[in-house]
Amino acid sequence: MIVAERKPLEDIKEMIAGYKKILIVGCGTCVTICWAGGEKEVAVLSSQLRLASKKNGNELEILEDTIERQCEKELVEALKDKVQQVEAVLSMGCGAGVQTIAEIFPDTPVYPALNTKFVGMPEGEGIWVETCRACGDCFLDKTGGICPIVRCAKGLLNGPCGGTNSGKCEVDPEKDCAWTLIYRRLEQQGRLDTMRKYYPPRNFQAVIRPGKVETLQA
Amino acid sequence: MKAKEAFLPDIIAFCCAQSAYQAADTAGSMRIPYPENIRVIRVPCAGRVDVLHILRAFEKGADGVLVLGCHEEACRHLSGNIRAKNRVQKLNTLLQEVGIDGERVEIFTLAPNQGFRFARIANEINERIKELGPSPVK
Amino acid sequence: MATAFKETLNSGKFVVTGEIGPPKGTNLEKTILHIDLLKDKVDALNVTDNQSSVMRFPSLGTALLIKERGGEPILQMTCRDRNRMALEADLLFAYTRGIRNVLCLTGDSITVGDHKEAKAVFDLDSAQLLHMVRILESGKDLGENELDGAVKFCAGAIVTPEANPIEPQLIKFEKKVQAGAEFFQTQAIYDLDNFKKFMEYVRGLDKNIKILAGIVLLASARMAKYMNESVPGVFVPQALIDEMATAEKGKGVQKGIEIASRLIKQLKEEAICDGVHVMAIGREEVVPDILAASGL
């Protein structure tokens, strides 16, 4: 899932400074799960912005809505009535959501309330970690399911490097050395031969950015 | 000086039905004085109190908010009081962001028979909010 | 003119290499002093490449300087700051200017250095860089294009014999050997018993690989402790830390020289490995003393 984090309130206030009526849109998928931009977070942000406005003596009316997914044109189109009533939209979706809304309603300024961070998963309650870099050339078959592009600070395909320190990365003693993890996993599965193979330089243009995929459904 | 003395804080006290609400009752029946401007709202568990309830209380003009629940280990719903504690902690950050002093909200634990403790907490918070003055977003 | 390093490596003599750390700026006064001091006392001089991710005068430039002054340089190349094209281009240039030795490294992370917001490249890793050298030697580049005029290098890499856990490090070591590394300089060694075990493994793998043991000068007991606790893959036995502590105030470096020369003597007399790589970072002036004390 996509993991995002709400921007500091000061930044959001600056974005919507001067507007008197806005719509805050939440997204019911990834950002709901990582507690960044779901219905609840929309309500909390609205409340905070109203409090902040009151404090500064400004008037601010906020409409709220949360749609299932902001990255879907049809779902975003359903916001039409509310968007027509406001001067600006504050999206609590990921970057893809913000841009979809911006494209469907090009006359209305659309602002991002979140910083989209990465593709990842929950490690514990309230803790999400990056696990996939969307590099377009998945290497996980060779590393027992541990991604060196994300988890190795240097993104090595032939690890470890000389800085590995008792299973921890030289960059951060709290961070595991991905290649030590990969070694242990492959050893556990009796697949160390996979690690002994030499891997040639990575194709950094596997996905020509901005990426595009076109297929026919089976 | 005069303005401060005249300021009667609007304080909302979310009281857990299993403990704090009964303590408030006890205080009442034993005639232990506590400020009349504390408004008691009964909730089934401190864990039922949402950050939104508290944020909206400030939107509606509250100067302070109390969340009162059972002592740790004593929650009838097992961890409602722990959740409430975490929420109040999160709330502090949300309030700081808006420029509202975190001291305006606090969570306390007590047992159903602690009428004196209820009154003491109520008085303490009342004095604190009087010092802090009216909410900046009133 | 200095003897080609490759020749020296294969001559059977106990090889000694030193290191030059370029300056942070364009003032090459000290650098030239160090080069002149060491060029005739060692078989080759490494030049570091933005070592510890601290931006410095380039290793390629310093290697040229060594060549100009009659020394034999070993060009260190890391993968942190340059992509494959830049690395290839640098090697083409280096070859035309008579630089024949290259040490292939992955490179320290950006975060440990002094440009903490820079983009780290790491287009290649050290094993891929070694392969790249051999591909260039075959007359092609990594884009599979024919080269008009090829190169030839004596290529080496590094290894950390005391890495913990050791197995992943050895897998990487073997990859570097297969990629064509002719010599290895090791991370600092202080425990020869452990090192002997490592050398047994290397000799069992391939008798032709040349291993130069890393000798890092200790300057104080505190430095010895720090190296033991904080530098990955470095193990300083308590006995040596204690020995450093016996040094009189201000005589730490002398003690360090004693210990270094003792290690070097033992490595040479017992033919444990093929040579040493002496590092006295910031104290290049005492390297001749270390060598003299070691009888080299």
Side-chain angles (χ1 to χ4, degrees), chain A residues 130-186:
Chain A
E130 181 176 19
T131 47
C132 175
R133 189 59 59 74
C135 71
D137 194 5
C138 195
F139 202 66
L140 289 172
D141 55 317
K142 303 172 180 68
T143 56
I146 295 168
C147 178
I149 311 297
V150 171
R151 302 187 67 176
C152 169
K154 303 174 184 174
L156 304 179
L157 300 189
N158 298 287
C161 73
T164 177
N165 194 359
S166 306
K168 296 294 181 190
C169 177
E170 77 175 1
V171 167
D172 181 354
E174 301 291 303
K175 228 161 117 171
D176 290 323
C177 164
W179 280 97
T180 308
L181 292 177
I182 292 170
Y183 171 81
R184 295 221 165 94
R185 178 73 59 83
L186 291 175

Short mmCIF file of all heavy atoms in Angstrom, two decimals, chain A residues 130-186:
data_model
loop_
_atom_site.label_atom_id
_atom_site.label_comp_id
_atom_site.label_asym_id
_atom_site.label_seq_id
_atom_site.Cartn_x
_atom_site.Cartn_y
_atom_site.Cartn_z
N GLU A 130 8.90 1.09 4.44
CA GLU A 130 8.98 0.96 2.99
C GLU A 130 9.48 -0.43 2.64
O GLU A 130 10.43 -0.92 3.24
CB GLU A 130 9.96 1.99 2.45
CG GLU A 130 10.08 1.95 0.93
CD GLU A 130 10.98 3.04 0.37
OE1 GLU A 130 11.77 3.60 1.15
OE2 GLU A 130 10.88 3.32 -0.83
N THR A 131 8.82 -1.09 1.69
CA THR A 131 9.28 -2.40 1.27
C THR A 131 9.47 -2.51 -0.24
O THR A 131 10.19 -3.39 -0.69
CB THR A 131 8.30 -3.51 1.72
OG1 THR A 131 6.97 -3.11 1.40
CG2 THR A 131 8.39 -3.75 3.21
N CYS A 132 8.85 -1.61 -1.00
CA CYS A 132 8.98 -1.72 -2.45
C CYS A 132 9.29 -0.36 -3.07
O CYS A 132 8.64 0.62 -2.73
CB CYS A 132 7.71 -2.29 -3.06
SG CYS A 132 7.75 -2.32 -4.86
N ARG A 133 10.24 -0.33 -3.98
CA ARG A 133 10.64 0.91 -4.61
C ARG A 133 9.99 1.09 -5.97
O ARG A 133 10.21 2.10 -6.64
CB ARG A 133 12.17 0.91 -4.74
CG ARG A 133 12.83 2.20 -5.19
CD ARG A 133 12.56 3.36 -4.27
NE ARG A 133 12.99 3.18 -2.91
CZ ARG A 133 14.24 3.22 -2.49
NH1 ARG A 133 15.22 3.40 -3.34
NH2 ARG A 133 14.52 3.06 -1.22
N ALA A 134 9.19 0.11 -6.41
CA ALA A 134 8.56 0.16 -7.74
C ALA A 134 9.63 0.42 -8.80
O ALA A 134 9.50 1.30 -9.64
CB ALA A 134 7.48 1.27 -7.80
N CYS A 135 10.69 -0.37 -8.76
CA CYS A 135 11.80 -0.17 -9.67
C CYS A 135 11.54 -0.75 -11.05
O CYS A 135 12.28 -0.48 -11.99
CB CYS A 135 13.08 -0.78 -9.09
SG CYS A 135 13.09 -2.58 -9.09
N GLY A 136 10.52 -1.58 -11.18
CA GLY A 136 10.19 -2.12 -12.49
C GLY A 136 11.00 -3.32 -12.92
O GLY A 136 10.87 -3.80 -14.05
N ASP A 137 11.89 -3.82 -12.01
CA ASP A 137 12.74 -4.94 -12.42
C ASP A 137 12.96 -5.82 -11.20
O ASP A 137 14.06 -5.90 -10.66
CB ASP A 137 14.08 -4.38 -12.93
CG ASP A 137 14.90 -5.42 -13.68
OD1 ASP A 137 14.37 -6.55 -13.88
OD2 ASP A 137 16.05 -5.13 -14.04
N CYS A 138 11.89 -6.44 -10.76
CA CYS A 138 11.89 -7.09 -9.45
C CYS A 138 12.98 -8.15 -9.27
O CYS A 138 13.13 -9.05 -10.10
CB CYS A 138 10.52 -7.69 -9.16
SG CYS A 138 10.36 -8.09 -7.42
N PHE A 139 13.70 -8.01 -8.19
CA PHE A 139 14.87 -8.83 -7.91
C PHE A 139 14.59 -9.83 -6.79
O PHE A 139 15.48 -10.57 -6.36
CB PHE A 139 16.00 -7.85 -7.47
CG PHE A 139 17.39 -8.36 -7.64
CD1 PHE A 139 17.92 -8.61 -8.89
CD2 PHE A 139 18.19 -8.57 -6.53
CE1 PHE A 139 19.23 -9.06 -9.04
CE2 PHE A 139 19.50 -9.01 -6.66
CZ PHE A 139 20.02 -9.26 -7.92
N LEU A 140 13.35 -9.86 -6.32
CA LEU A 140 13.04 -10.61 -5.11
C LEU A 140 13.22 -12.12 -5.26
O LEU A 140 13.40 -12.82 -4.27
CB LEU A 140 11.61 -10.30 -4.64
CG LEU A 140 11.43 -8.91 -4.06
CD1 LEU A 140 9.95 -8.62 -3.80
CD2 LEU A 140 12.19 -8.77 -2.75
N ASP A 141 13.20 -12.62 -6.52
CA ASP A 141 13.39 -14.06 -6.69
C ASP A 141 14.82 -14.45 -6.30
O ASP A 141 15.06 -15.59 -5.91
CB ASP A 141 13.11 -14.48 -8.13
CG ASP A 141 13.93 -13.70 -9.15
OD1 ASP A 141 14.05 -12.47 -8.98
OD2 ASP A 141 14.45 -14.31 -10.09
N LYS A 142 15.73 -13.49 -6.39
CA LYS A 142 17.13 -13.82 -6.14
C LYS A 142 17.56 -13.56 -4.71
O LYS A 142 18.69 -13.83 -4.33
CB LYS A 142 18.01 -13.00 -7.09
CG LYS A 142 17.63 -13.24 -8.56
CD LYS A 142 18.35 -12.31 -9.49
CE LYS A 142 17.98 -12.56 -10.93
NZ LYS A 142 16.59 -12.21 -11.26
N THR A 143 16.67 -12.99 -3.93
CA THR A 143 17.09 -12.60 -2.58
C THR A 143 16.17 -13.14 -1.50
O THR A 143 16.10 -12.60 -0.40
CB THR A 143 17.13 -11.07 -2.45
OG1 THR A 143 15.84 -10.56 -2.80
CG2 THR A 143 18.18 -10.45 -3.34
N GLY A 144 15.49 -14.22 -1.80
CA GLY A 144 14.63 -14.83 -0.80
C GLY A 144 13.52 -13.92 -0.32
O GLY A 144 13.04 -14.06 0.80
N GLY A 145 13.11 -12.98 -1.18
CA GLY A 145 11.97 -12.14 -0.79
C GLY A 145 12.33 -10.92 0.04
O GLY A 145 11.46 -10.31 0.66
N ILE A 146 13.61 -10.55 0.05
CA ILE A 146 14.03 -9.34 0.77
C ILE A 146 14.60 -8.37 -0.26
O ILE A 146 15.54 -8.71 -0.96
CB ILE A 146 15.11 -9.69 1.82
CG1 ILE A 146 14.51 -10.60 2.89
CG2 ILE A 146 15.65 -8.42 2.48
CD1 ILE A 146 15.53 -11.23 3.81
N CYS A 147 14.03 -7.19 -0.35
CA CYS A 147 14.44 -6.29 -1.43
C CYS A 147 15.70 -5.49 -1.10
O CYS A 147 15.69 -4.67 -0.19
CB CYS A 147 13.32 -5.31 -1.76
SG CYS A 147 13.79 -4.14 -3.06
N PRO A 148 16.78 -5.70 -1.87
CA PRO A 148 18.01 -4.96 -1.58
C PRO A 148 17.94 -3.52 -2.10
O PRO A 148 18.67 -2.66 -1.62
CB PRO A 148 19.08 -5.74 -2.34
CG PRO A 148 18.35 -6.40 -3.46
CD PRO A 148 16.96 -6.66 -2.97
N ILE A 149 17.06 -3.26 -3.07
CA ILE A 149 16.96 -1.89 -3.59
C ILE A 149 16.44 -0.98 -2.48
O ILE A 149 16.92 0.14 -2.30
CB ILE A 149 16.00 -1.82 -4.80
CG1 ILE A 149 16.33 -2.90 -5.83
CG2 ILE A 149 16.01 -0.43 -5.42
CD1 ILE A 149 17.70 -2.80 -6.45
N VAL A 150 15.45 -1.48 -1.73
CA VAL A 150 14.88 -0.67 -0.65
C VAL A 150 15.71 -0.77 0.62
O VAL A 150 16.02 0.22 1.26
CB VAL A 150 13.44 -1.12 -0.33
CG1 VAL A 150 12.93 -0.43 0.92
CG2 VAL A 150 12.52 -0.83 -1.49
N ARG A 151 16.04 -1.99 0.99
CA ARG A 151 16.57 -2.21 2.33
C ARG A 151 18.09 -2.09 2.44
O ARG A 151 18.63 -1.98 3.52
CB ARG A 151 16.08 -3.55 2.86
CG ARG A 151 14.55 -3.61 2.88
CD ARG A 151 14.03 -4.84 3.56
NE ARG A 151 14.34 -4.80 4.98
CZ ARG A 151 13.93 -5.72 5.84
NH1 ARG A 151 13.20 -6.73 5.42
NH2 ARG A 151 14.26 -5.65 7.11
N CYS A 152 18.79 -2.14 1.28
CA CYS A 152 20.23 -1.91 1.31
C CYS A 152 20.42 -0.43 1.03
O CYS A 152 19.96 0.08 0.01
CB CYS A 152 20.95 -2.75 0.27
SG CYS A 152 22.68 -2.30 0.05
N ALA A 153 21.14 0.27 1.91
CA ALA A 153 21.32 1.72 1.76
C ALA A 153 21.97 2.08 0.44
O ALA A 153 21.80 3.18 -0.07
CB ALA A 153 22.15 2.26 2.92
N LYS A 154 22.75 1.13 -0.13
CA LYS A 154 23.42 1.41 -1.38
C LYS A 154 22.75 0.71 -2.56
O LYS A 154 23.22 0.79 -3.68
CB LYS A 154 24.90 1.02 -1.30
CG LYS A 154 25.62 1.74 -0.16
CD LYS A 154 27.04 1.25 0.01
CE LYS A 154 27.68 1.93 1.22
NZ LYS A 154 29.01 1.40 1.54
N GLY A 155 21.66 0.00 -2.28
CA GLY A 155 20.94 -0.68 -3.37
C GLY A 155 21.78 -1.69 -4.11
O GLY A 155 21.62 -1.87 -5.32
N LEU A 156 22.65 -2.40 -3.41
CA LEU A 156 23.56 -3.32 -4.08
C LEU A 156 22.87 -4.58 -4.57
O LEU A 156 21.98 -5.10 -3.91
CB LEU A 156 24.68 -3.74 -3.12
CG LEU A 156 25.51 -2.62 -2.49
CD1 LEU A 156 26.54 -3.22 -1.56
CD2 LEU A 156 26.18 -1.79 -3.56
N LEU A 157 23.34 -5.08 -5.70
CA LEU A 157 22.84 -6.37 -6.19
C LEU A 157 23.81 -7.49 -5.82
O LEU A 157 23.46 -8.66 -5.86
CB LEU A 157 22.67 -6.34 -7.71
CG LEU A 157 21.71 -5.30 -8.29
CD1 LEU A 157 21.51 -5.57 -9.78
CD2 LEU A 157 20.37 -5.33 -7.58
N ASN A 158 25.04 -7.11 -5.52
CA ASN A 158 26.03 -8.09 -5.06
C ASN A 158 26.52 -7.63 -3.70
O ASN A 158 27.58 -7.05 -3.57
CB ASN A 158 27.22 -8.17 -6.04
CG ASN A 158 26.81 -8.63 -7.42
OD1 ASN A 158 26.51 -9.80 -7.63
ND2 ASN A 158 26.79 -7.71 -8.36
N GLY A 159 25.72 -7.89 -2.69
CA GLY A 159 26.12 -7.40 -1.39
C GLY A 159 26.82 -8.48 -0.58
O GLY A 159 26.92 -9.60 -1.04
N PRO A 160 27.25 -8.25 0.63
CA PRO A 160 27.19 -6.95 1.31
C PRO A 160 28.36 -6.06 0.93
O PRO A 160 29.24 -6.47 0.18
CB PRO A 160 27.31 -7.35 2.79
CG PRO A 160 28.15 -8.58 2.77
CD PRO A 160 27.83 -9.30 1.48
N CYS A 161 28.40 -4.86 1.45
CA CYS A 161 29.55 -3.98 1.22
C CYS A 161 30.47 -4.15 2.43
O CYS A 161 30.16 -4.92 3.34
CB CYS A 161 29.10 -2.52 1.11
SG CYS A 161 28.59 -1.78 2.67
N GLY A 162 31.57 -3.42 2.43
CA GLY A 162 32.53 -3.56 3.53
C GLY A 162 32.12 -2.88 4.82
O GLY A 162 32.76 -3.05 5.85
N GLY A 163 31.03 -2.13 4.76
CA GLY A 163 30.64 -1.38 5.95
C GLY A 163 29.67 -2.12 6.85
O GLY A 163 29.29 -1.65 7.91
N THR A 164 29.26 -3.32 6.44
CA THR A 164 28.29 -4.07 7.22
C THR A 164 28.89 -4.40 8.58
O THR A 164 30.05 -4.79 8.69
CB THR A 164 27.83 -5.34 6.48
OG1 THR A 164 26.95 -6.07 7.31
CG2 THR A 164 28.98 -6.21 6.08
N ASN A 165 28.11 -4.19 9.62
CA ASN A 165 28.63 -4.26 10.97
C ASN A 165 27.75 -5.10 11.87
O ASN A 165 26.72 -4.63 12.34
CB ASN A 165 28.73 -2.81 11.50
CG ASN A 165 29.57 -2.73 12.75
OD1 ASN A 165 30.07 -3.73 13.25
ND2 ASN A 165 29.70 -1.53 13.27
N SER A 166 28.16 -6.33 12.08
CA SER A 166 27.40 -7.25 12.95
C SER A 166 25.94 -7.32 12.55
O SER A 166 25.05 -7.27 13.40
CB SER A 166 27.51 -6.83 14.42
OG SER A 166 28.84 -6.71 14.79
N GLY A 167 25.71 -7.40 11.26
CA GLY A 167 24.34 -7.54 10.79
C GLY A 167 23.59 -6.22 10.68
O GLY A 167 22.42 -6.18 10.34
N LYS A 168 24.27 -5.11 10.99
CA LYS A 168 23.62 -3.81 10.89
C LYS A 168 24.29 -3.00 9.78
O LYS A 168 25.44 -3.22 9.43
CB LYS A 168 23.74 -3.05 12.23
CG LYS A 168 23.02 -3.72 13.37
CD LYS A 168 21.51 -3.74 13.18
CE LYS A 168 20.81 -4.40 14.35
NZ LYS A 168 19.39 -4.63 14.09
N CYS A 169 23.55 -2.03 9.29
CA CYS A 169 24.05 -1.21 8.18
C CYS A 169 24.99 -0.13 8.70
O CYS A 169 24.75 0.44 9.76
CB CYS A 169 22.85 -0.58 7.48
SG CYS A 169 23.30 0.52 6.14
N GLU A 170 26.03 0.20 7.92
CA GLU A 170 26.98 1.22 8.38
C GLU A 170 26.32 2.58 8.51
O GLU A 170 26.76 3.43 9.25
CB GLU A 170 28.18 1.32 7.43
CG GLU A 170 27.90 2.07 6.14
CD GLU A 170 29.12 2.26 5.26
OE1 GLU A 170 30.20 1.79 5.63
OE2 GLU A 170 28.98 2.89 4.21
N VAL A 171 25.23 2.76 7.76
CA VAL A 171 24.55 4.05 7.76
C VAL A 171 23.82 4.31 9.07
O VAL A 171 23.79 5.41 9.59
CB VAL A 171 23.53 4.09 6.59
CG1 VAL A 171 22.58 5.25 6.73
CG2 VAL A 171 24.25 4.16 5.27
N ASP A 172 23.22 3.28 9.63
CA ASP A 172 22.37 3.44 10.81
C ASP A 172 22.42 2.16 11.62
O ASP A 172 21.98 1.12 11.15
CB ASP A 172 20.94 3.73 10.34
CG ASP A 172 19.96 3.93 11.48
OD1 ASP A 172 20.36 3.74 12.65
OD2 ASP A 172 18.80 4.27 11.20
N PRO A 173 22.97 2.22 12.83
CA PRO A 173 23.10 0.99 13.63
C PRO A 173 21.77 0.34 13.98
O PRO A 173 21.73 -0.81 14.42
CB PRO A 173 23.83 1.47 14.89
CG PRO A 173 23.74 2.94 14.89
CD PRO A 173 23.52 3.40 13.50
N GLU A 174 20.67 1.10 13.78
CA GLU A 174 19.36 0.50 14.05
C GLU A 174 18.86 -0.28 12.84
O GLU A 174 17.93 -1.07 12.93
CB GLU A 174 18.33 1.61 14.37
CG GLU A 174 18.68 2.47 15.56
CD GLU A 174 18.60 1.71 16.86
OE1 GLU A 174 17.53 1.16 17.15
OE2 GLU A 174 19.62 1.65 17.57
N LYS A 175 19.47 0.01 11.69
CA LYS A 175 19.00 -0.60 10.44
C LYS A 175 19.71 -1.92 10.20
O LYS A 175 20.92 -1.99 10.30
CB LYS A 175 19.33 0.37 9.30
CG LYS A 175 18.20 0.64 8.36
CD LYS A 175 18.44 1.90 7.59
CE LYS A 175 18.55 1.61 6.10
NZ LYS A 175 18.56 2.83 5.32
N ASP A 176 18.93 -2.93 9.81
CA ASP A 176 19.55 -4.22 9.49
C ASP A 176 20.30 -4.12 8.18
O ASP A 176 19.89 -3.43 7.26
CB ASP A 176 18.47 -5.29 9.36
CG ASP A 176 17.84 -5.64 10.69
OD1 ASP A 176 18.58 -5.66 11.70
OD2 ASP A 176 16.62 -5.88 10.73
N CYS A 177 21.39 -4.87 8.07
CA CYS A 177 22.09 -4.99 6.80
C CYS A 177 21.25 -5.93 5.96
O CYS A 177 21.09 -7.11 6.29
CB CYS A 177 23.49 -5.56 7.00
SG CYS A 177 24.24 -6.15 5.46
N ALA A 178 20.71 -5.42 4.86
CA ALA A 178 19.81 -6.23 4.03
C ALA A 178 20.50 -7.51 3.55
O ALA A 178 19.88 -8.58 3.52
CB ALA A 178 19.33 -5.42 2.83
N TRP A 179 21.77 -7.39 3.20
CA TRP A 179 22.45 -8.56 2.65
C TRP A 179 22.75 -9.63 3.70
O TRP A 179 22.85 -10.81 3.38
CB TRP A 179 23.70 -8.15 1.86
CG TRP A 179 23.27 -7.69 0.49
CD1 TRP A 179 23.05 -6.42 0.08
CD2 TRP A 179 22.89 -8.54 -0.60
NE1 TRP A 179 22.58 -6.41 -1.20
CE2 TRP A 179 22.47 -7.68 -1.65
CE3 TRP A 179 22.87 -9.92 -0.80
CZ2 TRP A 179 22.04 -8.18 -2.88
CZ3 TRP A 179 22.45 -10.40 -2.03
CH2 TRP A 179 22.04 -9.54 -3.05
N THR A 180 22.88 -9.19 4.96
CA THR A 180 23.02 -10.20 6.01
C THR A 180 21.68 -10.92 6.17
O THR A 180 21.63 -12.14 6.33
CB THR A 180 23.45 -9.55 7.34
OG1 THR A 180 24.60 -8.74 7.10
CG2 THR A 180 23.77 -10.59 8.39
N LEU A 181 20.59 -10.16 6.09
CA LEU A 181 19.26 -10.77 6.17
C LEU A 181 19.05 -11.73 5.01
O LEU A 181 18.52 -12.83 5.18
CB LEU A 181 18.17 -9.69 6.12
CG LEU A 181 18.04 -8.74 7.30
CD1 LEU A 181 16.96 -7.70 7.01
CD2 LEU A 181 17.70 -9.50 8.58
N ILE A 182 19.46 -11.28 3.81
CA ILE A 182 19.29 -12.11 2.62
C ILE A 182 20.10 -13.39 2.75
O ILE A 182 19.62 -14.49 2.45
CB ILE A 182 19.71 -11.34 1.35
CG1 ILE A 182 18.72 -10.20 1.08
CG2 ILE A 182 19.80 -12.26 0.14
CD1 ILE A 182 19.16 -9.22 0.01
N TYR A 183 21.33 -13.26 3.27
CA TYR A 183 22.18 -14.44 3.48
C TYR A 183 21.46 -15.44 4.39
O TYR A 183 21.37 -16.63 4.10
CB TYR A 183 23.53 -14.05 4.06
CG TYR A 183 24.36 -15.25 4.48
CD1 TYR A 183 25.09 -15.97 3.54
CD2 TYR A 183 24.36 -15.69 5.80
CE1 TYR A 183 25.82 -17.09 3.91
CE2 TYR A 183 25.08 -16.82 6.17
CZ TYR A 183 25.81 -17.51 5.22
OH TYR A 183 26.52 -18.63 5.60
N ARG A 184 20.94 -14.93 5.51
CA ARG A 184 20.30 -15.83 6.48
C ARG A 184 19.06 -16.49 5.89
O ARG A 184 18.81 -17.68 6.10
CB ARG A 184 19.92 -15.05 7.74
CG ARG A 184 21.15 -14.51 8.46
CD ARG A 184 21.06 -14.64 9.97
NE ARG A 184 22.38 -14.45 10.55
CZ ARG A 184 22.85 -13.31 11.00
NH1 ARG A 184 22.10 -12.23 10.97
NH2 ARG A 184 24.07 -13.23 11.49
N ARG A 185 18.28 -15.73 5.15
CA ARG A 185 17.06 -16.27 4.55
C ARG A 185 17.39 -17.36 3.54
O ARG A 185 16.80 -18.44 3.55
CB ARG A 185 16.29 -15.12 3.87
CG ARG A 185 15.01 -15.51 3.15
CD ARG A 185 13.85 -15.85 4.06
NE ARG A 185 13.46 -14.79 4.96
CZ ARG A 185 12.67 -13.78 4.64
NH1 ARG A 185 12.20 -13.67 3.42
NH2 ARG A 185 12.36 -12.87 5.54
N LEU A 186 18.36 -17.07 2.66
CA LEU A 186 18.72 -18.06 1.63
C LEU A 186 19.38 -19.28 2.25
O LEU A 186 19.20 -20.41 1.79
CB LEU A 186 19.64 -17.42 0.58
CG LEU A 186 18.95 -16.39 -0.32
CD1 LEU A 186 19.97 -15.72 -1.24
CD2 LEU A 186 17.85 -17.02 -1.15
#
